[in-house]
Amino acid sequence: MKKGFQYCGLLCILLFTSCTTTKYVPEGSYLLNEVHIKTDNKLVKPSNLSMYVRQNPNPRWFSLLNTQLYIYNWSGRDSTKWYNKMLRRIGDAPVIYSAEDTRRSSEEIKKALQNMGYMGASVEYIPVTRKKKLNLTYQVTTGKAYQVRTLQYDIQDVRLEPYLQRDSAETRLKAGMIFDVNVLDAERQRISNNLLNNGFYRFNKDYITYTADTVRGTYQVDLTLHLLKYRQRDDEELRSHPQYTIGTVSFITDYNVIQSSDPGSMEVNDSIHYRGFPIYYNQKLFLRPKVLVNNLSMVPGKPYREQDVQRTYTNFGRLPVLKYTNIRFFESQVGDSLKLNGYVMLTRNKHQSVSFELEGTNSAGDLGAAASVSFQNRNVFRGSETFLIKLRGAYEAVSGLQSSYGQNNYTELGAETSISFPRFMFPFLSTDFRRRIRATTEFGLQYNYQLRPEFTRIVASASWSYRWGLQRLRSQHRIDLLDVNYLYMPHIDSDFENKYLNNDQNYILKYNYEDRFIVRSGYSYVYNSAGRALMNNTLTGNAYSIRFNFESAGNLLFALSKSLKLPQNCDDEYTLFNIPYAQYLKGDFDYATNLMIDSRNSIALHFFAGIAVPYGNASMVPFEKRYFSGGANSVRGWSVRSLGPGSFEGDGNFLNQSGDIKLDASVEYRTRLFWKFRGAVFIDAGNIWTIRNYDSQKGGLFRFNTFYKQIAVAYGVGLRLDLDFFVLRFDGGMKAINPVCGPGKERYPIIHPRFGRDFAFHFAVGYPF
């Protein structure tokens, strides 16, 4: 195996070195090999100036390998042959150094430095050639930054002055600051936003200008901010900025985006008035008037506020029954008062849909198939309530079982239904609270029937939850107010029961094959710094995400059982309808970040920590709530559910390879290869542990003085096909440190790797974190 790796590596080296990178570089020209930016000022980072460089070298895989340039150079001179065309299409043509682009880049860098306040900055570009390659360095000398000595305001429209004074604490400008044009422009936008939220509908940042006077012989600037009067056209006289209030607000519920956006030209057949709001429609009003008005944030008679308009867009965008929302304003004047009459034009979505799904399954080599059909209605009660019902069936041929079982097939039948309301449905909540937190309320029911040769299991559940988002989709909250799960085992094969369940060594297995209630509540919080950029696939910079989950089960039931002094069963458990219930606390934390190196390379970091503690009425956390390690989203040198807990080597029973504590950490270097393909190299570390000493999980107990010795480490490579709407991922991991093995070389397979023993392949959809 080792020789095989050596031969493969040698072959790759020969392929890459068999042709020169300058094969298609014309005589007298140079291949742009490297570009560097160096500055003499720690406050000015080269990474902030790289966007102004017009010409960059050929992209490199993992910032090291010029693979695509090599592929291009493999092509022959005859561009008419198909294989040469293919190689050139996959590869990248050499970037030929351009003196003109370099000169313009240096000018752009200099302008950017001047905008930062370094008026005397200079940029020198230094090309260094070697054979037909050229390394380019931009040497930046910033000089001393200009600072604002005095700050004055010239408010030509006295009507606006009170609004600026009330908001002066938020200003970005102050004496002593660096004279940064970017900060000045941000202050223009901030003032504009403030005035737009106080009725000045026609205001924009072009009415704000600056005058900067430098003091001779110093690096000081006297800055004056000018706020100009209003003039719509150049031939008009200057006057005070008009301030508008909201007049009438009307709804048009059958708006066709293809037709004219002028409400006066739209065809409507009927209308009603609800609480003073006209509502126009063609044939039948598909939304209740109360729903329309409750999602409106603009208030007639109040000053126009841009943030109310955006909040109205957000509110109606949450309604699944709507496809598009458009808001138009028309000016009118009543006496000396200026009004904005608004029209909220709504385009309906399809109310009902039916979908079918087919999938193949593979459980430890046992092949099967599954199918599901679902029906969705997005407007059940004319309030954009979404009703879903889904039926699912699966079949799998089970191998490796003893012949005493009556059949060797696995059958699963399931049904689920849910209904969600786009509002916070809870008694005693004020209208202001419901408007401030636009939550979705969801009720759900699920039923799952599993028929295996060894047993028959039924899982039924009912849930009541809320979810809502804040801060431009950056943060998401979810409250599971009540989630009731019932596990029922109507049949267990006698041979299976005698062999596995009536064995004191298989306590975990026995515990999870008994009838049980799980009555839980929980809260989860997700924050993603990318916000809408992540949803729109426009992420270009660094980003991070935080996930926090907490849940508890059985506490209220246990308190009632204790206070009422209810009887316990033979295992000293309180019961509900003669069925024991689980009691535990569980919390976990997840952090992931993506650090951009350049447009094609990034480093992704991930950390996860979780703990689940059974107590009171339970000696163990139910299997569905325990942690596992290994697999496509964990330590990838191990297959799913095959690592841990601790130094436990496994006994073939996946239930025993679960734990109460989990730690995971990963570092992944990601690179763009070609077309839709992405590559990665990664290092994973982590494991799971138990908080109690179970006979069936020897070596799995968490101890502060030994747990760090039981952390598994893996390394590997990955190939991803990024199709924008989903990602297909293929990862191959190798064990580096194996906690199962004792001291010696077997513990460190990275030193003596064996492919058949240490390799694990993973196929998954989506990135690991």
Side-chain angles (χ1 to χ4, degrees):
M1 182 61 67
K2 186 182 294 186
K3 288 184 177 180
F5 282 124
Q6 292 174 347
Y7 291 148
C8 289
L10 181 61
L11 179 61
C12 291
I13 293 173
L14 290 174
L15 286 174
F16 282 127
T17 58
S18 61
C19 58
T20 174
T21 54
T22 58
K23 177 180 177 180
Y24 287 106
V25 176
E27 288 297 327
S29 299
Y30 296 96
L31 172 71
L32 185 60
N33 187 52
E34 293 181 358
V35 173
H36 301 284
I37 301 176
K38 296 182 179 180
T39 70
D40 64 346
N41 191 332
K42 294 181 179 179
L43 298 178
V44 180
K45 297 181 179 180
S47 58
N48 295 333
L49 301 175
S50 60
M51 67 180 73
Y52 303 105
V53 176
R54 290 175 170 266
Q55 195 177 38
N56 288 288
N58 287 91
R60 302 187 179 192
W61 290 7
F62 304 106
S63 300
L64 296 173
L65 305 174
N66 242 329
T67 310
Q68 288 181 265
L69 177 58
Y70 282 118
I71 293 175
Y72 185 92
N73 288 338
W74 286 344
S75 64
R77 299 284 180 180
D78 189 354
S79 60
T80 61
K81 294 183 178 180
W82 68 269
Y83 50 85
N84 289 331
K85 289 182 179 179
M86 182 187 67
L87 290 172
R88 295 189 179 191
R89 189 179 297 115
I90 296 176
D92 286 336
V95 176
I96 307 301
Y97 169 73
S98 168
E100 175 63 19
D101 285 342
T102 302
R103 183 188 63 79
R104 295 175 65 184
S105 297
S106 65
E107 292 176 355
E108 293 293 327
I109 295 174
K110 184 177 179 179
K111 289 178 183 178
L113 291 167
Q114 291 173 342
N115 287 339
M116 295 177 188
Y118 300 96
M119 298 299 179
S122 63
V123 181
E124 180 185 4
Y125 51 91
I126 306 171
V128 177
T129 60
R130 183 179 179 183
K131 296 183 179 180
K132 298 184 71 174
K133 294 182 180 180
L134 183 145
N135 295 338
L136 181 63
T137 301
Y138 292 94
Q139 185 64 54
V140 175
T141 304
T142 62
K144 189 175 181 180
Y146 279 72
Q147 292 183 324
V148 176
R149 186 179 71 166
T150 62
L151 176 63
Q152 295 181 341
Y153 290 87
D154 174 27
I155 312 299
Q156 299 178 15
D157 188 348
V158 295
R159 188 178 188 181
L160 302 182
E161 191 169 358
Y163 297 99
L164 269 67
Q165 290 178 349
R166 286 199 295 267
D167 195 45
S168 60
E170 302 296 328
T171 183
R172 300 173 182 264
L173 306 182
K174 60 181 179 181
M177 63 173 282
I178 293 178
F179 182 69
D180 191 330
V181 174
N182 301 306
V183 176
L184 302 186
D185 192 60
E187 177 68 5
R188 295 171 67 207
Q189 189 61 57
R190 189 195 65 81
I191 294 174
S192 299
N193 292 340
N194 176 35
L195 296 176
L196 285 170
N197 287 321
N198 282 280
F200 296 94
Y201 171 70
R202 290 288 182 181
F203 192 87
N204 62 69
K205 70 177 185 179
D206 291 337
Y207 290 103
I208 301 174
T209 62
Y210 293 97
T211 298
D213 293 326
T214 57
V215 181
R216 183 186 299 272
T218 70
Y219 290 90
Q220 304 290 321
V221 175
D222 293 329
L223 183 66
T224 302
L225 183 149
H226 305 279
L227 204 158
L228 309 178
K229 285 188 173 183
Y230 175 76
R231 181 165 59 185
Q232 191 171 2
R233 295 190 301 270
D234 292 340
D235 57 350
E236 289 184 355
E237 293 186 1
L238 295 174
R239 56 189 174 97
S240 295
H241 285 269
Q243 188 175 24
Y244 295 83
T245 57
I246 298 296
T248 61
V249 178
S250 306
F251 294 92
I252 299 176
T253 61
D254 290 288
Y255 171 59
N256 188 341
V257 293
I258 300 178
Q259 296 178 354
S260 171
S261 59
D262 182 3
S265 64
M266 297 181 189
E267 182 180 351
V268 293
N269 295 331
D270 208 344
S271 65
I272 61 172
H273 282 69
Y274 177 78
R275 288 165 46 182
F277 293 93
I279 303 174
Y280 301 97
Y281 56 95
N282 278 339
Q283 297 178 355
K284 183 179 179 181
L285 185 60
F286 64 91
L287 282 171
R288 297 195 307 274
K290 183 179 180 180
V291 175
L292 297 174
V293 174
N294 285 348
N295 283 285
L296 183 69
S297 295
M298 301 175 294
V299 182
K302 297 290 185 178
Y304 167 86
R305 300 203 312 168
E306 178 65 22
Q307 64 185 27
D308 290 342
V309 177
Q310 297 304 319
R311 190 174 291 119
T312 300
Y313 271 114
T314 300
N315 294 343
F316 282 100
R318 293 177 56 249
L319 304 183
V321 73
L322 297 178
K323 192 172 185 179
Y324 304 112
T325 302
N326 191 15
I327 302 175
R328 294 289 305 275
F329 289 99
F330 297 89
E331 299 178 30
S332 66
Q333 186 168 357
V334 180
D336 294 332
S337 179
L338 293 173
K339 301 286 185 180
L340 286 174
N341 298 322
Y343 290 86
V344 181
M345 298 176 286
L346 308 173
T347 303
R348 71 170 73 187
N349 199 357
K350 292 182 179 180
H351 286 192
Q352 298 179 354
S353 63
V354 177
S355 62
F356 300 90
E357 294 180 11
L358 292 174
E359 59 182 295
T361 62
N362 185 349
S363 302
D366 295 334
L367 302 180
S372 64
V373 57
S374 60
F375 167 78
Q376 187 178 59
N377 188 320
R378 300 182 180 89
N379 197 31
V380 181
F381 306 119
R382 294 176 54 231
S384 197
E385 302 87 357
T386 301
F387 172 76
L388 172 70
I389 184 169
K390 183 176 182 179
L391 303 176
R392 184 180 186 276
Y395 174 85
E396 196 171 272
V398 182
S399 60
L401 296 177
Q402 59 191 46
S403 59
S404 60
Y405 296 131
Q407 51 91 20
N408 291 329
N409 301 321
Y410 167 68
T411 304
E412 179 182 338
L413 299 174
E416 62 178 274
T417 183
S418 65
I419 184 168
S420 60
F421 300 84
R423 53 189 178 275
F424 212 134
M425 296 184 63
F426 196 82
F428 314 118
L429 294 179
S430 65
T431 303
D432 290 340
F433 181 84
R434 296 175 192 267
R435 284 180 174 271
R436 191 166 58 253
I437 299 182
R438 296 282 179 172
T440 296
T441 305
E442 183 172 319
F443 302 94
L445 294 172
Q446 290 186 346
Y447 178 87
N448 185 266
Y449 174 84
Q450 302 171 8
L451 176 63
R452 284 186 60 91
E454 312 98 314
F455 59 82
T456 301
R457 181 164 67 171
I458 295 174
V459 181
S461 63
S463 61
W464 176 4
S465 63
Y466 303 96
R467 66 179 187 275
W468 69 94
L470 297 172
Q471 298 181 7
R472 298 182 179 179
L473 298 182
R474 283 190 171 92
S475 62
Q476 299 288 328
H477 302 261
R478 179 184 176 94
I479 294 177
D480 292 308
L481 188 64
L482 184 64
D483 187 0
V484 181
N485 291 266
Y486 173 44
L487 173 63
Y488 174 51
M489 306 290 298
H491 169 72
I492 299 178
D493 185 86
S494 57
D495 290 341
F496 178 79
E497 185 173 17
N498 293 331
K499 184 176 180 179
Y500 297 104
L501 304 186
N502 292 338
N503 186 344
D504 293 337
Q505 295 294 320
N506 286 330
Y507 177 76
I508 296 177
L509 192 64
K510 180 181 178 182
Y511 184 88
N512 286 282
Y513 278 86
E514 294 176 344
D515 298 348
R516 197 165 305 276
F517 271 116
I518 303 175
V519 183
R520 59 173 288 272
S521 299
Y523 167 76
S524 65
Y525 170 78
V526 178
Y527 177 83
N528 196 305
S529 63
R532 293 184 183 275
L534 188 67
M535 295 184 61
N536 299 333
N537 203 29
T538 57
L539 181 61
T540 57
N542 299 341
Y544 68 92
S545 65
I546 296 173
R547 294 180 176 87
F548 169 77
N549 297 285
F550 175 80
E551 64 180 82
S552 66
N555 295 319
L556 181 59
L557 290 176
F558 186 75
L560 291 173
S561 301
K562 275 280 192 181
S563 60
L564 298 176
K565 298 181 179 180
L566 298 178
Q568 295 176 300
N569 62 13
C570 59
D571 294 323
D572 296 328
E573 297 174 313
Y574 290 109
T575 62
L576 179 65
F577 306 118
N578 292 323
I579 300 171
Y581 53 84
Q583 186 177 8
Y584 63 88
L585 292 175
K586 181 181 180 181
D588 47 58
F589 171 82
D590 185 286
Y591 174 81
T593 184
N594 190 64
L595 306 175
M596 299 296 296
I597 298 175
D598 53 43
S599 60
R600 302 181 69 94
N601 297 279
S602 66
I603 295 178
L605 307 174
H606 175 245
F607 174 77
F608 176 90
I611 182 171
V613 181
Y615 66 101
N617 202 54
S619 58
M620 178 175 295
V621 177
F623 174 74
E624 292 80 2
K625 300 300 179 180
R626 302 189 92 198
Y627 298 107
F628 66 90
S629 191
N633 298 321
S634 185
V635 185
R636 283 167 278 185
W638 282 258
S639 58
V640 64
R641 300 182 190 271
S642 65
L643 173 60
S647 60
F648 177 62
E649 62 181 353
D651 57 3
N653 179 9
F654 68 91
L655 290 176
N656 284 335
Q657 297 203 273
S658 60
D660 309 310
I661 298 174
K662 181 176 182 178
L663 294 175
D664 255 354
S666 297
V667 179
E668 189 168 275
Y669 195 113
R670 298 172 178 172
T671 189
R672 291 180 59 187
L673 302 179
F674 58 90
W675 189 53
K676 301 286 186 178
F677 288 99
R678 310 289 186 263
V681 293
F682 57 82
I683 298 175
D684 301 326
N687 206 336
I688 55 174
W689 294 267
T690 63
I691 62 173
R692 296 184 181 179
N693 200 3
Y694 300 110
D695 292 336
S696 57
Q697 294 178 309
K698 294 186 182 298
L701 181 65
F702 181 88
R703 300 180 190 272
F704 280 101
N705 61 342
T706 60
F707 84 93
Y708 63 91
K709 300 178 182 178
Q710 298 171 336
I711 293 178
V713 180
Y715 61 96
V717 297
L719 178 67
R720 292 86 194 267
L721 179 60
D722 191 342
L723 299 174
D724 296 333
F725 47 91
F726 72 93
V727 177
L728 297 178
R729 175 162 57 97
F730 307 89
D731 286 343
M734 292 284 290
K735 297 177 179 65
I737 300 178
N738 191 346
V740 171
C741 303
K745 65 179 183 180
E746 296 295 331
R747 178 177 174 81
Y748 302 98
I750 189 173
I751 300 176
H752 302 282
R754 285 171 45 193
F755 190 82
R757 177 195 63 187
D758 302 326
F759 179 76
F761 174 76
H762 307 280
F763 168 71
V765 177
Y767 286 101
F769 47 86

